[in-house]
Short mmCIF file of all heavy atoms in Angstrom, two decimals:
data_model
loop_
_atom_site.label_atom_id
_atom_site.label_comp_id
_atom_site.label_asym_id
_atom_site.label_seq_id
_atom_site.Cartn_x
_atom_site.Cartn_y
_atom_site.Cartn_z
N GLU A 5 -2.06 -30.77 10.42
CA GLU A 5 -1.77 -32.05 11.03
C GLU A 5 -2.91 -33.05 10.76
O GLU A 5 -2.70 -34.27 10.96
CB GLU A 5 -1.61 -31.88 12.57
CG GLU A 5 -0.39 -31.15 12.98
CD GLU A 5 -0.53 -30.58 14.40
OE1 GLU A 5 -1.53 -30.76 15.05
OE2 GLU A 5 0.41 -29.84 14.78
N HIS A 6 -4.06 -32.59 10.40
CA HIS A 6 -5.23 -33.45 10.23
C HIS A 6 -5.07 -34.30 8.97
O HIS A 6 -4.63 -33.85 7.92
CB HIS A 6 -6.46 -32.55 10.12
CG HIS A 6 -7.75 -33.31 10.15
ND1 HIS A 6 -8.50 -33.36 11.30
CD2 HIS A 6 -8.32 -34.04 9.21
CE1 HIS A 6 -9.56 -34.10 11.03
NE2 HIS A 6 -9.50 -34.57 9.80
N HIS A 7 -5.38 -35.59 9.13
CA HIS A 7 -5.33 -36.48 7.97
C HIS A 7 -6.75 -36.68 7.43
O HIS A 7 -7.61 -37.23 8.06
CB HIS A 7 -4.71 -37.79 8.34
CG HIS A 7 -3.23 -37.62 8.69
ND1 HIS A 7 -2.31 -37.34 7.71
CD2 HIS A 7 -2.62 -37.71 9.83
CE1 HIS A 7 -1.10 -37.17 8.31
NE2 HIS A 7 -1.27 -37.36 9.62
N PHE A 8 -7.00 -36.17 6.22
CA PHE A 8 -8.35 -36.28 5.60
C PHE A 8 -8.43 -37.62 4.86
O PHE A 8 -7.41 -38.09 4.32
CB PHE A 8 -8.57 -35.08 4.65
CG PHE A 8 -8.55 -33.75 5.40
CD1 PHE A 8 -7.43 -32.98 5.49
CD2 PHE A 8 -9.70 -33.31 5.96
CE1 PHE A 8 -7.40 -31.79 6.18
CE2 PHE A 8 -9.75 -32.06 6.70
CZ PHE A 8 -8.58 -31.31 6.76
N THR A 9 -9.60 -38.12 4.80
CA THR A 9 -9.78 -39.42 4.14
C THR A 9 -9.57 -39.36 2.65
O THR A 9 -9.03 -40.18 1.99
CB THR A 9 -11.15 -40.04 4.46
OG1 THR A 9 -12.12 -39.01 4.26
CG2 THR A 9 -11.24 -40.57 5.84
N THR A 10 -10.05 -38.20 2.08
CA THR A 10 -9.94 -38.05 0.57
C THR A 10 -9.28 -36.66 0.32
O THR A 10 -9.65 -35.69 0.92
CB THR A 10 -11.29 -38.06 -0.07
OG1 THR A 10 -12.03 -39.14 0.54
CG2 THR A 10 -11.20 -38.33 -1.57
N ALA A 11 -8.38 -36.60 -0.65
CA ALA A 11 -7.70 -35.38 -0.89
C ALA A 11 -8.62 -34.35 -1.51
O ALA A 11 -9.56 -34.67 -2.25
CB ALA A 11 -6.56 -35.65 -1.91
N LEU A 12 -8.35 -33.08 -1.16
CA LEU A 12 -9.11 -31.98 -1.66
C LEU A 12 -8.46 -31.44 -2.96
O LEU A 12 -7.25 -31.25 -2.91
CB LEU A 12 -9.16 -30.88 -0.58
CG LEU A 12 -9.94 -29.64 -0.79
CD1 LEU A 12 -11.46 -29.94 -0.81
CD2 LEU A 12 -9.73 -28.64 0.38
N THR A 13 -9.22 -31.24 -4.05
CA THR A 13 -8.57 -30.76 -5.25
C THR A 13 -8.83 -29.26 -5.33
O THR A 13 -9.96 -28.80 -5.42
CB THR A 13 -9.16 -31.43 -6.48
OG1 THR A 13 -9.10 -32.81 -6.29
CG2 THR A 13 -8.42 -31.03 -7.76
N LEU A 14 -7.76 -28.47 -5.21
CA LEU A 14 -7.92 -26.97 -5.19
C LEU A 14 -7.80 -26.46 -6.62
O LEU A 14 -7.17 -27.06 -7.45
CB LEU A 14 -6.81 -26.41 -4.31
CG LEU A 14 -6.88 -26.67 -2.81
CD1 LEU A 14 -5.66 -26.16 -2.16
CD2 LEU A 14 -8.18 -26.03 -2.23
N SER A 15 -8.34 -25.27 -6.75
CA SER A 15 -8.23 -24.55 -8.04
C SER A 15 -6.76 -24.08 -8.23
O SER A 15 -6.07 -23.88 -7.26
CB SER A 15 -9.15 -23.35 -8.10
OG SER A 15 -8.68 -22.37 -7.20
N ASP A 16 -6.39 -23.87 -9.49
CA ASP A 16 -5.11 -23.30 -9.78
C ASP A 16 -4.94 -22.00 -9.03
O ASP A 16 -3.88 -21.66 -8.52
CB ASP A 16 -4.90 -23.03 -11.21
CG ASP A 16 -4.87 -24.37 -12.06
OD1 ASP A 16 -4.76 -25.38 -11.39
OD2 ASP A 16 -5.01 -24.28 -13.27
N HIS A 17 -6.01 -21.20 -8.96
CA HIS A 17 -5.93 -19.88 -8.32
C HIS A 17 -5.59 -20.03 -6.88
O HIS A 17 -4.68 -19.32 -6.31
CB HIS A 17 -7.27 -19.15 -8.52
CG HIS A 17 -7.14 -17.71 -8.20
ND1 HIS A 17 -7.39 -16.71 -9.12
CD2 HIS A 17 -6.88 -17.07 -7.00
CE1 HIS A 17 -7.25 -15.55 -8.55
NE2 HIS A 17 -6.93 -15.71 -7.25
N ALA A 18 -6.27 -20.99 -6.18
CA ALA A 18 -5.98 -21.17 -4.80
C ALA A 18 -4.55 -21.66 -4.55
O ALA A 18 -3.90 -21.27 -3.59
CB ALA A 18 -6.97 -22.17 -4.18
N ILE A 19 -4.08 -22.49 -5.44
CA ILE A 19 -2.72 -23.00 -5.30
C ILE A 19 -1.70 -21.86 -5.48
O ILE A 19 -0.76 -21.69 -4.72
CB ILE A 19 -2.46 -24.16 -6.27
CG1 ILE A 19 -3.29 -25.36 -5.86
CG2 ILE A 19 -0.98 -24.54 -6.34
CD1 ILE A 19 -3.45 -26.48 -6.88
N ARG A 20 -2.00 -21.01 -6.49
CA ARG A 20 -1.06 -19.92 -6.73
C ARG A 20 -1.11 -18.92 -5.54
O ARG A 20 -0.12 -18.27 -5.22
CB ARG A 20 -1.40 -19.18 -8.02
CG ARG A 20 -1.11 -19.94 -9.27
CD ARG A 20 -1.17 -18.99 -10.50
NE ARG A 20 -2.47 -18.42 -10.65
CZ ARG A 20 -3.39 -18.84 -11.54
NH1 ARG A 20 -3.14 -19.86 -12.30
NH2 ARG A 20 -4.56 -18.24 -11.60
N ALA A 21 -2.25 -18.87 -4.86
CA ALA A 21 -2.42 -17.92 -3.76
C ALA A 21 -1.75 -18.43 -2.46
O ALA A 21 -1.61 -17.69 -1.49
CB ALA A 21 -3.87 -17.66 -3.44
N SER A 22 -1.29 -19.69 -2.50
CA SER A 22 -0.83 -20.25 -1.19
C SER A 22 0.55 -19.81 -0.78
O SER A 22 0.91 -19.89 0.39
CB SER A 22 -0.88 -21.78 -1.30
OG SER A 22 0.09 -22.24 -2.25
N GLU A 23 1.36 -19.33 -1.73
CA GLU A 23 2.70 -18.88 -1.37
C GLU A 23 2.82 -17.45 -1.13
O GLU A 23 3.37 -16.71 -1.85
CB GLU A 23 3.65 -19.26 -2.59
CG GLU A 23 3.79 -20.73 -2.85
CD GLU A 23 4.57 -21.40 -1.72
OE1 GLU A 23 5.57 -20.87 -1.29
OE2 GLU A 23 4.13 -22.51 -1.30
N GLN A 24 2.25 -17.03 0.00
CA GLN A 24 2.16 -15.57 0.16
C GLN A 24 3.19 -15.13 1.25
O GLN A 24 3.20 -15.67 2.35
CB GLN A 24 0.78 -15.17 0.65
CG GLN A 24 -0.17 -15.16 -0.43
CD GLN A 24 -1.53 -14.58 0.02
OE1 GLN A 24 -1.68 -14.38 1.23
NE2 GLN A 24 -2.38 -14.36 -0.91
N ALA A 25 3.91 -14.09 0.89
CA ALA A 25 4.85 -13.49 1.83
C ALA A 25 4.14 -12.99 3.07
O ALA A 25 4.63 -13.12 4.22
CB ALA A 25 5.57 -12.33 1.19
N ILE A 26 2.91 -12.47 2.94
CA ILE A 26 2.23 -11.87 4.07
C ILE A 26 1.93 -12.94 5.12
O ILE A 26 2.13 -12.69 6.32
CB ILE A 26 0.96 -11.09 3.64
CG1 ILE A 26 0.24 -10.41 4.81
CG2 ILE A 26 -0.05 -11.95 2.90
CD1 ILE A 26 0.94 -9.21 5.36
N GLY A 27 1.58 -14.18 4.69
CA GLY A 27 1.31 -15.19 5.64
C GLY A 27 2.50 -15.57 6.44
O GLY A 27 2.50 -15.70 7.65
N PHE A 28 3.66 -15.70 5.73
CA PHE A 28 4.90 -16.06 6.37
C PHE A 28 5.34 -14.94 7.36
O PHE A 28 5.76 -15.21 8.48
CB PHE A 28 5.98 -16.23 5.30
CG PHE A 28 7.20 -16.88 5.81
CD1 PHE A 28 7.15 -18.23 6.35
CD2 PHE A 28 8.46 -16.33 5.71
CE1 PHE A 28 8.25 -18.84 6.83
CE2 PHE A 28 9.57 -16.98 6.21
CZ PHE A 28 9.48 -18.20 6.72
N LEU A 29 5.11 -13.73 6.94
CA LEU A 29 5.54 -12.58 7.77
C LEU A 29 4.68 -12.58 9.08
O LEU A 29 5.21 -12.33 10.18
CB LEU A 29 5.32 -11.29 7.01
CG LEU A 29 5.72 -10.02 7.73
CD1 LEU A 29 7.24 -10.06 8.04
CD2 LEU A 29 5.43 -8.80 6.83
N MET A 30 3.41 -12.80 8.93
CA MET A 30 2.49 -12.86 10.14
C MET A 30 2.99 -13.92 11.06
O MET A 30 2.99 -13.78 12.27
CB MET A 30 1.02 -13.12 9.72
CG MET A 30 0.44 -12.10 8.79
SD MET A 30 0.25 -10.47 9.50
CE MET A 30 -1.46 -10.32 9.60
N GLN A 31 3.30 -15.06 10.47
CA GLN A 31 3.86 -16.20 11.28
C GLN A 31 5.10 -15.82 12.03
O GLN A 31 5.22 -16.08 13.23
CB GLN A 31 4.12 -17.38 10.31
CG GLN A 31 4.66 -18.64 10.98
CD GLN A 31 3.63 -19.25 11.95
OE1 GLN A 31 2.46 -19.03 11.73
NE2 GLN A 31 4.14 -19.94 12.95
N GLN A 32 5.99 -15.14 11.36
CA GLN A 32 7.24 -14.63 12.06
C GLN A 32 6.90 -13.67 13.20
O GLN A 32 7.52 -13.75 14.23
CB GLN A 32 8.15 -13.89 11.03
CG GLN A 32 8.74 -14.77 9.97
CD GLN A 32 9.78 -15.70 10.58
OE1 GLN A 32 10.47 -15.37 11.51
NE2 GLN A 32 9.92 -16.87 9.98
N GLY A 33 5.87 -12.85 12.94
CA GLY A 33 5.40 -11.95 14.02
C GLY A 33 4.95 -12.71 15.22
O GLY A 33 5.24 -12.32 16.37
N VAL A 34 4.20 -13.81 14.98
CA VAL A 34 3.73 -14.57 16.15
C VAL A 34 4.87 -15.30 16.80
O VAL A 34 4.99 -15.26 18.06
CB VAL A 34 2.68 -15.63 15.61
CG1 VAL A 34 2.30 -16.61 16.69
CG2 VAL A 34 1.44 -14.94 15.04
N GLU A 35 5.84 -15.81 16.03
CA GLU A 35 6.91 -16.54 16.60
C GLU A 35 7.87 -15.64 17.39
O GLU A 35 8.59 -16.08 18.30
CB GLU A 35 7.72 -17.37 15.56
CG GLU A 35 6.95 -18.53 15.12
CD GLU A 35 7.57 -19.27 13.92
OE1 GLU A 35 8.73 -19.00 13.59
OE2 GLU A 35 6.85 -20.06 13.27
N ASN A 36 7.90 -14.37 17.01
CA ASN A 36 8.85 -13.42 17.62
C ASN A 36 8.09 -12.34 18.41
O ASN A 36 8.43 -11.17 18.34
CB ASN A 36 9.73 -12.79 16.58
CG ASN A 36 10.63 -13.85 15.89
OD1 ASN A 36 11.37 -14.51 16.50
ND2 ASN A 36 10.41 -14.00 14.55
N ALA A 37 7.06 -12.83 19.17
CA ALA A 37 6.20 -11.83 19.77
C ALA A 37 6.94 -11.09 20.87
O ALA A 37 6.47 -10.01 21.30
CB ALA A 37 4.95 -12.56 20.36
N ASP A 38 8.05 -11.57 21.34
CA ASP A 38 8.80 -10.92 22.41
C ASP A 38 9.76 -9.82 21.89
O ASP A 38 10.42 -9.14 22.60
CB ASP A 38 9.67 -11.90 23.20
CG ASP A 38 10.58 -12.75 22.33
OD1 ASP A 38 10.37 -12.76 21.09
OD2 ASP A 38 11.50 -13.33 22.84
N CYS A 39 9.71 -9.60 20.54
CA CYS A 39 10.54 -8.58 19.91
C CYS A 39 9.87 -7.20 19.88
O CYS A 39 8.68 -7.12 19.86
CB CYS A 39 10.87 -8.99 18.47
SG CYS A 39 11.97 -10.37 18.36
N ILE A 40 10.72 -6.16 19.80
CA ILE A 40 10.20 -4.86 19.41
C ILE A 40 9.91 -4.94 17.97
O ILE A 40 10.87 -5.22 17.18
CB ILE A 40 11.20 -3.70 19.73
CG1 ILE A 40 11.36 -3.52 21.21
CG2 ILE A 40 10.76 -2.41 19.03
CD1 ILE A 40 12.20 -2.34 21.62
N SER A 41 8.70 -4.74 17.53
CA SER A 41 8.37 -4.95 16.11
C SER A 41 8.55 -3.59 15.34
O SER A 41 7.79 -2.68 15.57
CB SER A 41 6.95 -5.48 15.88
OG SER A 41 6.78 -5.63 14.52
N LEU A 42 9.51 -3.58 14.45
CA LEU A 42 9.60 -2.52 13.47
C LEU A 42 9.12 -3.16 12.13
O LEU A 42 9.31 -2.57 11.08
CB LEU A 42 11.05 -1.99 13.32
CG LEU A 42 11.70 -1.45 14.60
CD1 LEU A 42 13.12 -0.98 14.26
CD2 LEU A 42 10.89 -0.37 15.21
N ALA A 43 8.45 -4.28 12.25
CA ALA A 43 8.03 -5.01 11.08
C ALA A 43 6.53 -4.75 10.84
O ALA A 43 6.11 -4.49 9.66
CB ALA A 43 8.24 -6.51 11.26
N ALA A 44 5.72 -4.81 11.88
CA ALA A 44 4.28 -4.70 11.71
C ALA A 44 3.88 -3.43 10.98
O ALA A 44 4.29 -2.33 11.35
CB ALA A 44 3.60 -4.83 13.04
N GLY A 45 3.09 -3.60 9.93
CA GLY A 45 2.59 -2.39 9.18
C GLY A 45 1.25 -1.91 9.76
O GLY A 45 0.56 -1.19 9.03
N LEU A 46 0.89 -2.31 11.00
CA LEU A 46 -0.41 -1.88 11.54
C LEU A 46 -0.42 -0.43 11.86
O LEU A 46 0.64 0.17 12.17
CB LEU A 46 -0.70 -2.68 12.79
CG LEU A 46 -0.73 -4.21 12.73
CD1 LEU A 46 -1.03 -4.81 14.02
CD2 LEU A 46 -1.71 -4.65 11.63
N VAL A 47 -1.57 0.14 11.89
CA VAL A 47 -1.66 1.57 12.30
C VAL A 47 -1.48 1.63 13.82
O VAL A 47 -1.76 0.61 14.55
CB VAL A 47 -2.92 2.27 11.84
CG1 VAL A 47 -3.13 2.20 10.36
CG2 VAL A 47 -4.12 1.70 12.60
N ASP A 48 -1.04 2.77 14.32
CA ASP A 48 -0.83 3.00 15.71
C ASP A 48 -2.19 2.89 16.50
O ASP A 48 -3.10 3.70 16.24
CB ASP A 48 -0.20 4.38 15.89
CG ASP A 48 0.29 4.62 17.30
OD1 ASP A 48 -0.27 3.96 18.23
OD2 ASP A 48 1.18 5.41 17.48
N GLU A 49 -2.28 1.99 17.44
CA GLU A 49 -3.51 1.85 18.18
C GLU A 49 -3.96 3.17 18.83
O GLU A 49 -5.15 3.41 18.94
CB GLU A 49 -3.28 0.84 19.35
CG GLU A 49 -3.27 -0.58 18.88
CD GLU A 49 -3.96 -1.51 19.86
OE1 GLU A 49 -4.21 -1.10 21.01
OE2 GLU A 49 -4.29 -2.60 19.44
N ARG A 50 -2.98 3.92 19.26
CA ARG A 50 -3.28 5.17 20.00
C ARG A 50 -4.00 6.18 19.10
O ARG A 50 -4.56 7.14 19.58
CB ARG A 50 -2.00 5.79 20.56
CG ARG A 50 -1.45 4.95 21.76
CD ARG A 50 0.01 5.28 21.94
NE ARG A 50 0.77 4.75 20.84
CZ ARG A 50 1.76 3.81 20.97
NH1 ARG A 50 2.04 3.29 22.13
NH2 ARG A 50 2.36 3.37 19.94
N THR A 51 -3.94 5.97 17.76
CA THR A 51 -4.61 6.95 16.84
C THR A 51 -6.05 6.56 16.57
O THR A 51 -6.74 7.32 15.90
CB THR A 51 -3.85 6.98 15.48
OG1 THR A 51 -4.09 5.71 14.82
CG2 THR A 51 -2.39 7.23 15.62
N LEU A 52 -6.46 5.36 16.99
CA LEU A 52 -7.82 4.95 16.61
C LEU A 52 -8.89 5.78 17.27
O LEU A 52 -8.92 5.98 18.45
CB LEU A 52 -7.95 3.43 16.90
CG LEU A 52 -7.02 2.60 16.02
CD1 LEU A 52 -7.07 1.12 16.44
CD2 LEU A 52 -7.28 2.72 14.59
N PRO A 53 -9.86 6.25 16.46
CA PRO A 53 -10.82 7.26 16.94
C PRO A 53 -12.01 6.64 17.64
O PRO A 53 -13.17 6.69 17.20
CB PRO A 53 -11.26 7.90 15.60
CG PRO A 53 -11.17 6.79 14.60
CD PRO A 53 -10.01 5.89 15.05
N VAL A 54 -11.80 6.09 18.86
CA VAL A 54 -12.83 5.37 19.53
C VAL A 54 -14.01 6.35 19.93
O VAL A 54 -15.14 6.05 19.61
CB VAL A 54 -12.25 4.75 20.86
CG1 VAL A 54 -13.40 4.14 21.67
CG2 VAL A 54 -11.21 3.73 20.54
N GLN A 55 -13.63 7.43 20.49
CA GLN A 55 -14.67 8.37 20.91
C GLN A 55 -15.49 8.92 19.73
O GLN A 55 -16.78 8.97 19.69
CB GLN A 55 -14.05 9.53 21.71
CG GLN A 55 -14.97 10.46 22.36
CD GLN A 55 -15.72 9.80 23.50
OE1 GLN A 55 -15.14 9.03 24.21
NE2 GLN A 55 -17.02 10.08 23.57
N LEU A 56 -14.74 9.29 18.73
CA LEU A 56 -15.37 9.89 17.48
C LEU A 56 -16.26 8.84 16.83
O LEU A 56 -17.36 9.14 16.43
CB LEU A 56 -14.24 10.31 16.53
CG LEU A 56 -14.64 10.86 15.18
CD1 LEU A 56 -15.72 11.93 15.28
CD2 LEU A 56 -13.45 11.34 14.38
N ALA A 57 -15.79 7.62 16.77
CA ALA A 57 -16.62 6.55 16.18
C ALA A 57 -17.89 6.28 16.99
O ALA A 57 -18.97 6.16 16.43
CB ALA A 57 -15.81 5.29 16.00
#
Side-chain angles (χ1 to χ4, degrees):
E5 291 159 4
H6 189 102
H7 293 291
F8 297 94
T9 45
T10 318
L12 185 66
T13 309
L14 293 173
S15 70
D16 293 347
H17 194 116
I19 292 166
R20 288 194 300 260
S22 65
E23 292 293 316
Q24 285 188 350
I26 183 72
F28 194 59
L29 184 62
M30 300 294 246
Q31 180 63 27
Q32 291 291 328
V34 171
E35 284 172 17
N36 297 299
D38 55 343
C39 289
I40 291 187
S41 180
L42 302 180
L46 303 180
V47 305
D48 188 336
E49 283 220 342
R50 290 159 291 243
T51 68
L52 294 174
V54 176
Q55 188 66 42
L56 174 54

